[in-house]
Amino acid sequence: MAMDNSQDAKAEAILKDYFNLKDALVNDDNSKAKELGNTLAQSLKSFDASSYSDSEQNELNDIIEDATEHAEHIGESDIAHQREHFKTLSKDMTDMVAITGTSMTIYEQYCPMYDNNKGGAWLSMNEEIRNPYFGAQMLKCGKVQREIN
Amino acid sequence: MKIVKIIAWIALVAFVVIQFFPVDYNQSETVPQTDFMLVNNVPATVEQSLQVSCYDCHSNNTDYPWYSKVQPSSWYLEHHIKEGKAELNFNEWGNLSDRRKNSKLRSIINQIEDGEMPLDSYTLIHRDAIFSEANKTAVIDYMNKLKDSLE
């Protein structure tokens, strides 16, 4: 795990943008989520993996490229599509944190009902469940899978 | 009426002039080893559907219609093809990581399901590119199977 401070700062900024986006989806706020999707895409683009090992760089660049595409699509989609992209984006964020580490305490949470019962996971800074896939419709559906840090 | 005449002349001259602007045609003789059809074991019907409905804008080789030789439609096509390939190029499928393949497959499935692809502006002329219900189901089923095999 790389512990370069400036590097961590960029990963933390990405995570914060991701959490803001998640909150917009929890609040069923399509236009806010669009805005925050674009903000996240910008943060992702400024990420620089050069301080990591070669294999980590490959993995990180792949994650960032994928996440950027999802963030950009969230910036221009209706809320159902935003949530679909958010599911894959959440996987990308989880994989990113596994490499970059974080100073925050993060909870991986899971709702088994999303995506025709295929389920969907997400990351949150709060232990309490607030479901970004269903919003007000099923706000508290889900459980904490694990704690990161 | 004089002004209308002048405008008509200017438009005509502009139309002739733009015919001389160069166009970057999307054509390639060879199919790289990384092509979707070479990397995957694609059933013939699905392959046929993808070639007809997707490959014009999502590969390195476009089967150009006659009007592609006439400006400004060449520019219009050039722009669409460039954008299409940036989103997804089936010829370069093998270069993608599993993560990227997974995301691309998800988009392919959703856009075909929702009828967003192929584009209406494309099927307006290419009537054969419209998926029949059977072909649509076959393509989506295949893409889902491929996606599940990656996860």
Side-chain angles (χ1 to χ4, degrees), chain B residues 63-78:
Chain B
D63 188 6
Y64 281 100
W66 64 268
Y67 56 82
S68 69
K69 306 285 178 210
V70 186
Q71 295 284 21
S73 64
S74 331
W75 279 330
Y76 178 78
L77 294 179
E78 190 183 4

Side-chain angles (χ1 to χ4, degrees), chain A residues 44-58:
Chain A
L44 285 162
K45 279 179 186 158
S46 69
F47 186 80
D48 171 22
S50 57
S51 65
Y52 292 88
S53 74
D54 283 354
S55 67
E56 284 175 339
Q57 279 188 35
N58 284 340

